[in-house]
């Protein structure tokens, strides 16, 4: 087991932190549940952690928009710590609500804290969608999907707001897509429900320019244990383990 | 103080789109467009523009200091919380604003402006009042309303006394009705006599407490009068099952799991509120039953839930809906939205989502279960001790839910909808989610002596029950209020959701408060346990309640209930047996299209089934995750292969034929579903939920027979009931007609399995395998079946599953063959007979099946051969509860494995994805599975749209 410790950052309304810890443990990683309130009060700091995972749920009851309050608290009150964390090249993963938080905080797609360039809108169906999805891994450089390009990963997906909308970037940058919803032949698809939220270009997960940050709507931690129908999600956490142990 | 407003509009607004479709579906076809604008009202010395990052994401939202809606496009209604009420979002806005450095913000409110294009203002008002807001807490803002402060304002009414002295029986009854106490005369007389004895008139708070605590909903007067709960708990005691840890005495029941853990179950109905306000009613159904898990022992953790709804036929035209009842389609669709709204944020996986219909469900059935997990050492509560603090945690107390307990105990009439909508609570899952995280932490640090949820009856019931053996003194001024105008009795009775009471040892109070602060759970010490054996409450310097516990819990008169055998008007079935391929085609499609058999994943896929990472087999499985699994399997202990299995049997079509027979079938169905999946019935326990009409002699008779039957049968099979709930008010009075629910019993079986990897799923595994039907069959027993219902017929004779001994013999054989890995896929026969699981297993696997209709069925138990000619449709669609469809390898020796048990070889799995029916070597019907799936997947989806 690695000495490096991964922080699983949670807040009121987060509800996937425990299974995320179980998935990290299965990948051979040590993790700690870090309560956002403890960080805000200065009782703990981000700096001792080697990686950060923001798990799924409905933080702060999705008030004012999914991930909004969490992201505001991160960006306004933990800006220095978070910038230092990101600048020191530590990996970050946002799953489902965690992805929504990274997007609302401006960390994805362009790693600009406080400058939003995307939104995760309500699903095309206007409903929460509990589905099992197939994700085609792209060639895009990303530590979380290293050596997985071309593979199709199966895992559960469960969310009401997961349809990405990107605004045009002045710098000409475009979002780096790592995972795409795909059909049973492994081809990216816009077809519902294989693409459960109507994501344009079938985008299910993106990384930043460093390849260290990954945000995805589906739930790799629910496809990580021996009792799960698929264990494809574990591959992402194993990639983190490989990176942290290297 | 300055007040600012910020208007936010969103592009691509899915919520607006949802409502537009919904309103057009519900009678407002003229509505051409709907736009929603959010308005943030901000009070303080601030610069609102500094808050814009919080109020809008510029990628898809636009802000303005003025409304962006053009009044010429249609009427605009702004819906806001009432002055006296706090918005649920307010604390989130304040916290984030302060994070942004805007400390000048002192208060904030959120309202929503709806613009209705293409309809009149009157229509817009009607739509809004019906669907968009709850008058108890919300209101429509006047366009140019003068606002001086956003802070909640309002003054409570003073406490009054109510003297019953000298009132005649008629006057007592009139007063009980006028005050919405719904207390029967016998109770009013006891209260009148009590007034004489204590020598003072009661306060309004005291009478409200008595009426509520003695309501059928809280006190179960019907069941007590008939001695029913005693029958069930005595049967369970008699079984003395070694796994039972807690039965019928806590908020849920619990059985031993593995490694010093206990799993718990509770099922609760919320029928009345869900009938008059389905969104609020169903949301709080989930909230309430989850709190029963949190309130088990010293706090269990919820790891699974269900939603089970029974309504009128949702396809019914709105003009046929009984006067005063909501359209069933509305109840269905709003209930689905509510389940998603509540369960998904709670992070509790959906185990079973089941929707059924019956012409008696004018007052709908709304049932939810909650499965829990708790360390063995915390599974039993301690008795609170004098000096313990009474800690109220969770949400603030408001006006919502007042008279919920008494109103839901009364029968529902066409006036109820308007009069008692205040009885429906508002649910906020985020509040419950906060303490769901905090309670295990409190428990593990020894801060909980005892814990209970606040549901029906509110603080008075919760505190009164907790302190029944000691006494409790309440300080109502300490109760955090979301509505400043609440008076004492309203604080005591309010059924505001998301609240729990904890008895905290005094030396642990500081630590408990620190922990709750850390998890951002609101808390207040609202009283102390005493040794006075009284329920006391003080408010604004007055003693407003002072009742002896012995009176509160011991003086409720139980009226005797007369019983009389019902006369049922039953007619034998008259259904022509299909002969030609066309007739078979029609018969098969009837069953596949039936509401109870059709694909319900359009609802089920809206509920998270994999959150917590414990789900092994979710509600849907197979290749494409649309095949109904028939059971739910969880692996609660991370890294371990131990499993908890749950199954549900709920069939509203059997009860009116034979309530007691139905009750027995429900037990057998629930257990068989678990057994075929690989559970040993000796490691299962049961949870019952009854729903019966308002009591009259015939109902009392049926109810008693049902309870006696399940008590007796549970003893015969050795599987105990450990938890349950009854609702005896399933009558809807409309335009001079009483519509009664059918005698209803939903049974959940739950239990443990040593290794989840040994579970057997329904989908076919390999072409060439044989299909066996094992267990009793009777091709003439189609009464109560879906097939008969599709002809609008009910019939007169339920399927006889055999006695306890023969059923146990069957289960023993199934358990043994499972242990030998004898079968590779399995289904328990239920609605849709043999045919439905054959189709589902084919659909879930991508394979097909060939069914040879046997000419003669051998009853191996007696060695006799049936001489009565079979009904082929009966063999295919008969609901042989207890029987199992098994897929076995070609070489499987059924005569050895099922010696002494009736079985028949039905056919085999084919590689062609087609179902073929063969008789005497001739194909009498065949159809592609994909075509059948098309038929099966449409009806439920269509009724939702």
């Amino acid at each position: 087991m690695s000495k490096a410790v991964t922080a699983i950052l949670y807040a009121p309304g987060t509800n996937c932190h425990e299974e995320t810890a179980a998935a990290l443990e299965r990948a051979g990683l040590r993790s700690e549940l870090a309560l956002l309130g403890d960080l805000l009060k200065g009782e703990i700091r981000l700096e001792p952690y080697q990686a950060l995972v923001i798990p799924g749920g409905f933080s702060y009851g999705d008030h004012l928009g999914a991930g909004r309050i969490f992201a505001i608290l991160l960006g306004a009150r933990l800006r220095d710590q978070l910038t230092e964390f990101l600048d020191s090249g530590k990996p970050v993963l946002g799953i489902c609500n965690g992805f929504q938080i990274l997007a609302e905080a401006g960390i994805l797609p362009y790693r600009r804290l406080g400058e939003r360039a995307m939104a995760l809108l309500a699903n095309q169906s206007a409903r929460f969608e509990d589905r099992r999805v197939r994700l085609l891994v792209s060639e895009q450089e990303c530590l979380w999907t290293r050596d997985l390009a071309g593979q199709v990963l199966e895992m559960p997906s469960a969310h009401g707001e997961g349809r990405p909308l990107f605004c045009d970037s002045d710098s000409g940058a475009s979002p780096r897509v790592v995972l795409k919803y795909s059909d049973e032949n492994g081809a990216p698809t816009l077809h519902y429900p294989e693409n459960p939220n109507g994501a344009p270009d079938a985008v299910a997960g993106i990384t930043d320019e460093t390849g260290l940050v990954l945000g995805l709507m589906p739930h790799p931690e629910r496809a990580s244990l021996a009792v799960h129908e698929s264990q494809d999600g574990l591959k992402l956490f194993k990639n983190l383990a490989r990176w942290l142990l290297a | 103080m300055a007040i600012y407003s910020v208007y936010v509009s969103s592009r691509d607004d899915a919520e607006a789109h949802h409502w537009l479709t919904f309103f057009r579906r519900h009678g407002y076809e003229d509505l051409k467009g709907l736009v929603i604008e959010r308005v943030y009202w901000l009070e303080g010395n601030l610069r609102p523009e500094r808050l814009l990052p919080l109020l809008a994401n510029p990628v898809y939202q636009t802000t303005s200091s003025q409304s962006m809606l053009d009044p010429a496009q249609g009427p605009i209604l702004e819906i806001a919380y009432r002055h006296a009420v706090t918005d649920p979002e307010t604390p989130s806005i304040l916290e984030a604003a302060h994070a942004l450095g805007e400390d000048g913000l002192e208060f904030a409110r959120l309202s929503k402006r709806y613009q209705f294009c293409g309809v009149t203002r009157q229509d817009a008002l009607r739509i809004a009042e019906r669907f968009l807001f709850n008058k108890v807490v919300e209101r429509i803002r006047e366009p140019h309303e003068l606002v001086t402060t956003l802070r909640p304002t309002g003054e409570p009414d003073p406490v009054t006394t109510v003297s019953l002295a000298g009132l005649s029986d008629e006057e007592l009854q009139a007063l009980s009705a006028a005050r919405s106490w719904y207390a029967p005369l016998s109770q009013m007389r006891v209260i009148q006599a009590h007034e004489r004895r204590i020598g003072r008139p009661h306060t309004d708070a005291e009478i409200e407490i008595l009426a509520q605590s003695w309501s059928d909903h809280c006190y179960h007067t019907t069941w007590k009068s008939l001695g029913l709960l005693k029958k069930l708990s005595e049967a369970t005691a008699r079984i003395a099952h070694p796994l039972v840890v807690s039965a019928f005495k806590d908020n849920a029941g619990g059985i031993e799991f593995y490694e010093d853990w206990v799993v718990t179950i509770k099922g609760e109905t919320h029928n009345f509120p869900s009938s008059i306000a389905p969104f609020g009613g169903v949301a709080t159904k989930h909230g309430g039953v989850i709190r029963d898990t949190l309130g088990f022992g010293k706090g269990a953790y919820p790891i699974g839930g269900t939603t089970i709804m029974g309504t009128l036929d949702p396809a019914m035209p709105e003009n046929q809906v009984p006067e005063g009842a909501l359209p069933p389609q509305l109840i269905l669709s709003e209930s689905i939205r509510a389940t998603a709204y509540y369960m998904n944020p709670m992070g509790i996986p959906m185990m079973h989502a089941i929707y059924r219909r019956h012409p008696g469900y004018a007052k709908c059935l709304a049932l939810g279960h909650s499965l829990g997990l708790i360390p063995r050492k915390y599974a039993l509560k301690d008795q609170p001790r004098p000096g313990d603090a009474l800690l109220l945690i969770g949400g603030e107390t408001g006006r919502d839910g007042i008279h919920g307990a008494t109103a839901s105990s009364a029968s529902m009439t066409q006036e109820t909808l308007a009069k008692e909508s205040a009885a429906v609570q508002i649910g906020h899952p985020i509040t419950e989610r906060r303490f769901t995280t905090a309670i295990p932490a409190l428990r593990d640090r020894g801060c909980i002596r005892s814990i209970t949820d606040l549901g029906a009856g509110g603080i008075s019931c919760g505190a009164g029950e907790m302190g029944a053996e000691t006494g409790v003194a309440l300080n109502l001024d300490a109760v955090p209020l979301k509505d400043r105008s609440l008076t004492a009795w309203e604080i005591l009775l309010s059924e505001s959701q998301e609240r729990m009471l904890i008895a905290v040892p005094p030396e642990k109070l500081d630590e408990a408060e620190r922990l709750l602060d850390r998890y951002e759970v609101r808390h207040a010490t609202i009283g102390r346990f005493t040794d006075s054996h009284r329920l006391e409450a003080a408010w604004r310097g007055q003693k407003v309640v002072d009742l002896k516990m012995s009176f509160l819990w011991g003086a409720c008169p139980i009226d005797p209930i007369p019983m009389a055998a019902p006369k049922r008007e039953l007619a034998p079935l008259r259904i022509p047996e299909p002969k030609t391929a066309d007739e078979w085609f029609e018969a098969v499609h009837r069953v596949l299209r039936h509401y109870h058999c059709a694909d319900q994943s359009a609802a089920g896929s809206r509920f998270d089934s994999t959150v917590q990472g414990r789900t092994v087999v979710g509600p849907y499985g197979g290749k494409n995750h649309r095949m109904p699994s028939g059971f739910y399997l969880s692996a609660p202990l991370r890294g371990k292969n131990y499993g908890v299995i749950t199954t549900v049997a709920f069939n509203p079509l059997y009860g009116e034929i034979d309530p007691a027979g139905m009750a027995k079938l429900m037990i057998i169905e629930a257990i068989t579903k678990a057994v075929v999946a690989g559970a040993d019935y000796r490691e299962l326990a049961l949870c019952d939920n009854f729903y019966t009409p308002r009591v009259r002699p015939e109902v009392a008779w049926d109810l008693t027979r049902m309870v006696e039957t399940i008590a007796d049968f549970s003893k015969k099979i050795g599987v105990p009931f450990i938890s349950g709930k009854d609702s005896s008010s399933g009558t809807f009075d409309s335009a001079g007609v009483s519509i009664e629910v059918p005698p209803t019993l939903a049974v959940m079986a739950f239990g443990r399995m040593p290794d989840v990897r040994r579970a057997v799923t329904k989908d076919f595994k390999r072409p060439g395998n044989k299909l066996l039907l094992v267990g009793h069959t009777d091709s003439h027993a189609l009464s109560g079946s879906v097939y008969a219902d599709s002809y609008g017929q009910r019939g007169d004779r339920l399927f006889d599953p055999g006695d306890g001994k023969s059923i146990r013999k069957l289960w023993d054989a199934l358990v043994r063959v499972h242990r030998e890995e004898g079968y590779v896929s399995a289904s328990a026969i239920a609605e849709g007979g043999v045919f439905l699981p054959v189709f589902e297993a084919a659909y879930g696997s991508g394979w097909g099946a060939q069914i040879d209709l046997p000419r003669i069925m051998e009853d191996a138990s007696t060695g006799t051969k049936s001489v009565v000619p079979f009904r082929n449709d009966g063999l295919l669609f008969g609901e042989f509860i207890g029987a199992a469809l098994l897929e076995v390898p070609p070489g499987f020796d059924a005569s050895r494995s099922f010696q002494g048990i009736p079985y028949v070889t039905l056919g085999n799995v084919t590689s062609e994805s087609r179902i073929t029916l063969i008789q005497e070597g001739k194909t009498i019907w065949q159809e592609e599975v994909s075509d059948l799936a098309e038929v099966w997947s449409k009806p439920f989806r269509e009724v939702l749209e």
Side-chain angles (χ1 to χ4, degrees):
Chain A
M1 185 144 313
S2 152
K3 281 201 181 114
V5 181
T6 299
I8 299 172
L9 186 56
Y10 74 118
T14 305
N15 60 29
C16 302
H17 42 293
E18 289 181 10
E19 56 268 39
T20 303
L24 285 164
E25 187 186 334
R26 181 106 201 281
L29 287 166
R30 287 177 57 198
S31 68
E32 278 176 16
L33 297 179
L35 196 56
L36 180 62
D38 290 350
L39 268 178
L40 295 174
K41 279 180 266 174
E43 289 174 9
I44 54 170
R45 292 183 48 79
L46 279 179
E47 185 267 323
Y49 297 106
Q50 297 307 307
L52 176 66
V53 180
I54 309 181
F58 292 68
S59 55
Y60 298 95
D62 274 0
H63 290 164
L64 284 77
R68 180 83 51 83
I69 304 277
F70 197 129
I72 292 279
L73 295 174
L74 275 183
R77 299 209 23 218
L78 297 169
R79 189 178 192 89
D80 295 346
Q81 281 193 54
L82 198 59
T83 305
E84 188 192 316
F85 193 91
L86 289 167
D87 289 352
S88 59
K90 291 176 178 174
V92 175
L93 174 66
I95 304 167
C96 197
N97 187 231
F99 183 19
Q100 293 164 339
I101 291 164
L102 294 179
E104 279 283 345
I107 296 170
L108 284 174
Y110 304 127
R111 216 177 164 88
R112 285 186 218 140
L113 204 52
E115 288 175 49
R116 283 169 286 199
M118 72 172 293
L120 288 154
L121 302 180
N123 297 346
Q124 196 85 61
S125 65
R127 292 192 291 261
F128 188 97
E129 295 284 348
D130 177 71
R131 304 283 175 184
R132 174 160 291 263
V133 294
R134 296 181 190 86
L135 302 173
L136 174 65
V137 183
S138 78
E139 300 283 344
Q140 183 66 51
E141 191 61 37
C142 175
L143 96 83
W144 298 91
T145 54
R146 188 160 295 171
D147 298 337
L148 299 176
Q151 289 195 30
V152 175
L153 310 179
E154 273 197 45
M155 61 185 75
S157 170
H159 59 259
E161 289 95 24
R163 180 165 50 107
L165 175 70
F166 300 99
C167 71
D168 299 331
S169 148
D170 348 319
S171 60
S174 59
R176 295 165 191 253
V177 178
V178 180
L179 300 164
K180 288 189 175 191
Y181 299 110
S182 62
D183 61 21
E184 54 190 328
N185 304 315
T189 183
L190 300 179
H191 188 260
Y192 171 86
E194 291 84 354
N195 175 338
N197 53 35
D201 203 24
V203 174
I206 60 169
T207 187
D208 68 339
E209 70 217 26
T210 65
L212 292 168
V213 182
L214 172 67
L216 79 167
M217 289 312 300
H219 287 276
E221 78 281 11
R222 303 184 194 177
S224 290
L225 303 186
V227 297
H228 293 156
E229 204 174 321
S230 155
Q231 294 178 46
D232 289 349
L234 185 62
K235 294 174 182 173
L236 305 186
F237 300 111
K238 281 199 163 157
N239 266 332
L240 174 65
R242 199 151 60 122
W243 193 86
L244 288 176
L245 295 170
Chain B
M1 199 67 71
I3 292 172
Y4 302 89
S5 45
V6 176
Y7 295 79
V8 179
S9 72
S10 304
R11 83 184 227 216
D12 207 346
D13 188 342
E15 185 188 352
H17 183 258
H18 159 79
W19 283 122
L20 176 61
T21 316
F22 183 90
F23 298 147
R24 288 175 57 87
R25 168 75 174 75
H26 285 283
Y28 300 95
E29 295 84 3
D30 294 344
L31 192 65
K32 296 287 177 288
L34 182 73
V35 187
I36 305 178
E37 187 177 62
R38 290 169 163 243
V39 193
Y40 293 95
W41 295 89
L42 308 165
E43 179 170 358
N45 188 6
L46 74 153
R47 283 183 291 153
E49 63 278 8
R50 289 179 62 176
L51 293 183
L52 293 185
L54 169 64
L55 305 182
N57 178 342
V59 177
Y60 72 104
Q61 291 174 314
T62 320
T63 60
S64 164
S65 60
Q66 271 154 16
S67 175
M68 293 165 274
L69 300 178
D70 171 10
Q73 298 300 311
I76 299 169
L77 298 178
E78 180 168 338
I79 294 173
Y81 279 89
R82 290 188 169 276
H83 290 297
V85 176
T86 318
D87 297 27
E89 283 91 351
T90 301
S92 296
I93 300 175
L94 291 175
E95 184 180 0
H98 294 164
L100 288 168
E102 189 44 275
D103 292 323
L105 180 67
E106 301 206 347
F107 208 79
R109 283 184 178 278
L110 169 62
S111 56
K112 276 186 182 174
R113 288 163 65 83
Y114 297 83
Q115 182 164 46
F116 301 82
C117 309
V119 297
T120 63
R121 189 174 166 80
Q122 282 67 31
D123 274 343
L125 276 167
R126 260 194 292 274
I127 294 175
E129 284 181 4
R130 195 163 161 209
F131 300 114
L132 291 175
F133 78 113
N134 181 323
K135 280 187 212 168
V136 183
V137 292
E138 292 169 302
R139 67 198 181 92
I140 294 178
R141 271 188 106 252
E142 294 304 319
H144 301 291
E145 192 177 282
L146 196 65
V147 188
T148 52
T149 181
L150 301 176
R151 290 171 179 282
T153 52
E155 266 301 305
D157 293 334
V159 170
T160 59
T161 55
V162 185
S163 177
L164 307 185
L167 296 189
S168 68
D169 285 355
E170 289 71 30
E171 287 166 328
L172 286 174
Q173 280 171 311
L175 185 65
S176 171
R179 301 285 286 251
S180 292
W181 293 333
Y182 299 109
L185 179 62
S186 59
Q187 293 182 7
M188 292 299 288
R189 282 184 181 151
V190 169
I191 298 170
Q192 191 180 40
H194 187 248
E195 178 181 332
R196 267 199 307 277
R197 205 160 63 243
I198 60 175
R200 62 170 176 87
H202 292 103
T203 63
D204 51 10
E206 288 172 327
I207 301 196
E208 292 282 353
I209 287 175
L210 292 170
Q212 165 151 280
S213 304
W214 295 353
S215 68
D216 193 51
H217 192 92
C218 292
Y219 206 72
H220 303 278
T221 44
T222 306
W223 272 55
K224 282 203 172 98
S225 176
L226 297 170
L228 301 179
L229 189 57
K230 207 164 146 237
K231 285 193 169 81
L232 265 185
S233 54
E234 278 174 4
T236 295
R238 188 69 180 278
I239 294 169
H241 198 291
L243 291 184
V244 173
V245 173
S246 175
F248 293 118
K249 54 178 187 257
D250 204 341
N251 290 314
I255 60 168
E256 294 278 357
F257 191 52
Y258 299 95
E259 298 191 356
D260 292 322
W261 288 85
V262 165
V263 285
T264 72
I265 194 68
K266 177 61 181 283
E268 181 129 302
T269 50
H270 217 198
N271 308 324
F272 170 71
S274 302
S275 299
I276 61 170
F279 184 79
V282 169
T284 54
K285 158 186 103 173
H286 293 297
V289 76
I290 292 165
R291 287 194 304 281
D292 280 331
T293 297
L294 294 164
F296 175 88
K298 293 182 178 179
Y301 191 83
I303 61 168
T306 74
T307 185
I308 293 160
M309 296 293 299
T311 62
L312 298 173
D313 183 358
M316 168 186 279
E318 290 206 7
N319 61 13
Q320 285 176 24
V321 176
E323 200 179 325
L326 291 176
Q329 200 278 346
L330 178 76
I331 295 180
L332 173 69
S333 59
E334 285 288 88
S335 82
I336 294 168
R337 192 168 69 88
T339 297
Y341 165 82
Y342 210 96
M343 289 298 281
N344 294 333
M346 283 305 295
I348 299 171
M350 179 56 66
M351 309 190 296
H352 307 273
I354 299 171
Y355 299 87
R356 295 289 180 265
R357 60 167 169 73
H358 187 280
Y361 287 139
K363 188 171 171 185
C364 73
L365 170 82
L367 167 63
H369 293 89
S370 177
L371 180 71
L373 181 68
I374 186 171
R376 178 75 176 82
K377 61 184 170 186
Y378 299 126
L380 299 175
K381 291 177 158 54
D382 289 326
Q383 190 56 242
R385 298 179 196 169
D388 282 357
L390 181 65
L391 196 63
L392 173 67
I393 65 166
E396 296 166 317
T397 298
R399 198 176 293 282
D400 40 327
I402 288 182
H403 282 153
T406 49
S408 63
S409 301
S411 62
M412 183 172 154
T413 66
Q414 55 201 99
E415 285 83 43
T416 320
L417 206 57
K419 189 177 166 202
E420 297 296 355
S421 57
V424 180
Q425 309 91 328
I426 323 294
H428 294 297
I430 178 64
T431 309
E432 189 143 319
R433 180 62 230 179
R434 286 175 195 251
F435 60 64
T436 300
T437 307
I439 284 170
L442 287 171
R443 174 195 75 194
D444 294 349
R445 286 170 182 76
C447 297
I448 298 178
R449 184 104 69 199
S450 180
I451 179 168
T452 197
D453 84 297
L454 289 184
I459 292 174
S460 78
C461 235
E465 282 177 11
M466 267 180 129
E469 304 296 322
T470 53
V472 66
L474 302 170
N475 168 21
L476 301 181
D477 299 313
V479 176
L481 300 182
K482 61 183 160 193
D483 186 331
R484 301 272 294 267
S485 65
L486 286 188
T487 187
W489 73 263
E490 292 171 310
I491 298 172
L492 282 160
L493 263 71
S494 163
E495 295 176 10
S496 283
Q497 291 291 294
E498 291 96 21
R499 299 178 303 157
M500 297 194 73
L501 284 175
I502 307 179
V504 185
E507 70 278 10
K508 286 287 184 180
L509 187 58
D510 281 353
E511 190 177 357
E513 289 174 340
R514 270 200 310 277
L515 273 169
L516 290 163
D517 286 340
R518 181 164 181 253
Y519 290 107
E520 301 178 40
V521 177
R522 183 138 196 192
H523 57 84
T525 299
I526 62 157
R528 294 271 168 189
F529 290 89
T530 64
D531 55 8
S532 69
H533 299 279
R534 305 180 81 82
L535 175 64
E536 298 166 275
W539 180 68
R540 300 196 165 195
Q542 274 177 279
K543 191 159 204 178
V544 296
V545 179
D546 187 6
L547 291 172
K548 270 190 174 168
M549 288 292 184
S550 58
F551 179 71
L552 177 59
W553 298 120
C556 175
I558 303 287
D559 295 336
I561 298 174
M563 280 201 267
K567 288 189 187 62
R568 294 182 222 287
E569 286 170 23
L570 302 172
L573 294 176
R574 289 170 206 284
I575 295 173
E577 207 179 328
K579 301 275 188 250
T580 66
D582 282 352
E583 285 165 2
W584 273 108
F585 178 92
E586 167 64 15
V588 163
H589 285 224
R590 277 171 175 279
V591 169
L592 279 180
R593 273 198 311 259
H594 193 280
Y595 189 65
H596 296 187
C597 295
D599 174 21
Q600 299 192 338
S601 66
S605 63
R606 296 180 63 177
F607 317 133
D608 198 331
S609 63
T610 52
V611 63
Q612 297 190 11
R614 294 180 154 116
T615 303
V616 181
V617 178
Y620 303 101
K623 225 168 60 118
N624 43 23
H625 284 268
R626 290 254 305 278
M627 178 195 77
S629 301
F631 65 96
Y632 177 83
L633 182 61
S634 165
L637 305 182
R638 300 186 198 287
K640 303 285 168 66
N641 292 321
Y642 306 126
V644 182
I645 187 168
T646 64
T647 62
V648 177
F650 162 47
N651 190 327
L653 304 183
Y654 296 169
E656 64 198 86
I657 301 170
D658 174 3
M662 175 275 287
K664 180 173 158 185
L665 290 175
M666 292 301 100
I667 297 180
I668 297 172
E669 179 184 325
I671 295 177
T672 307
K673 281 175 170 169
V675 168
V676 298
D680 187 330
Y681 68 97
R682 286 162 294 207
E683 309 229 315
L684 298 177
L686 303 168
C687 172
D688 62 276
N689 284 90
F690 282 88
Y691 188 28
T692 47
R694 180 177 58 216
V695 73
R696 50 184 177 81
E698 293 79 7
V699 171
W701 173 284
D702 280 343
L703 185 56
T704 305
R705 293 296 166 274
M706 290 197 309
V707 175
E708 282 171 355
T709 301
I710 66 168
D712 186 51
F713 194 66
S714 75
K715 281 189 284 188
K716 289 213 169 90
I717 58 175
V719 183
F721 280 91
I722 61 164
S723 178
K725 201 72 188 272
D726 53 276
S727 169
S728 314
S729 54
T731 299
F732 181 77
D733 297 312
S734 173
V737 182
S738 285
I739 304 173
E740 295 191 334
V741 301
T744 300
L745 169 64
V747 174
M748 170 173 275
F750 94 120
R752 62 181 203 178
M753 282 172 71
D755 189 345
V756 294
R757 292 169 300 185
R758 299 289 324 281
V760 177
T761 54
K762 179 187 282 178
D763 46 313
F764 290 144
K765 301 300 185 300
R766 196 187 164 99
N769 279 346
K770 281 194 297 190
L771 296 175
L772 289 186
L773 179 63
V774 183
H776 292 284
T777 55
D778 176 353
S779 73
H780 292 270
L782 279 164
S783 295
S785 67
V786 155
Y787 181 61
D789 188 57
S790 79
Y791 280 92
Q793 297 182 32
R794 198 64 82 222
D796 58 351
R797 178 176 70 89
L798 285 184
F799 172 68
D800 176 5
D803 61 9
K805 202 173 145 204
S806 70
I807 288 287
R808 278 178 71 143
K809 193 170 163 191
L810 170 63
W811 289 336
D812 282 328
L814 287 167
V815 168
R816 192 183 61 244
V817 175
H818 172 263
R819 197 176 302 132
E820 295 162 356
E821 301 188 27
Y823 59 89
V824 294
S825 82
S827 308
I829 304 304
E831 291 111 315
V834 169
F835 176 75
L836 187 68
V838 167
F839 160 72
E840 290 174 345
Y843 176 68
S845 62
W847 307 122
Q850 182 168 305
I851 307 286
D852 282 285
L853 290 171
R855 272 184 304 162
I856 289 182
M857 200 126 146
E858 194 169 36
D859 189 342
S861 59
T862 58
T864 58
K865 296 191 178 203
S866 177
V867 286
V868 186
F870 285 108
R871 279 192 71 119
N872 283 326
D873 52 354
L875 185 66
L876 217 53
F877 306 123
E879 298 172 5
F880 315 134
I881 305 298
L885 175 74
L886 304 179
E887 176 190 354
V888 297
F892 181 82
D893 182 359
S895 64
R896 187 191 66 82
S897 293
F898 293 110
Q899 195 180 12
I901 291 166
Y903 70 87
V904 61
T905 305
L906 268 185
N908 53 282
V909 179
T910 62
S911 56
E912 304 82 35
S913 188
R914 181 185 307 139
I915 297 178
T916 309
L917 213 51
I918 290 181
Q919 190 172 31
E920 294 173 34
K922 282 197 230 98
T923 296
I924 57 173
W925 165 83
Q926 64 175 353
E927 201 166 347
E928 299 301 313
V929 172
S930 57
D931 292 343
L932 294 168
E934 185 77 14
V935 173
W936 168 78
S937 59
K938 267 190 189 156
F940 190 84
R941 187 168 318 239
E942 282 174 356
V943 83
L944 280 187
E945 279 159 5

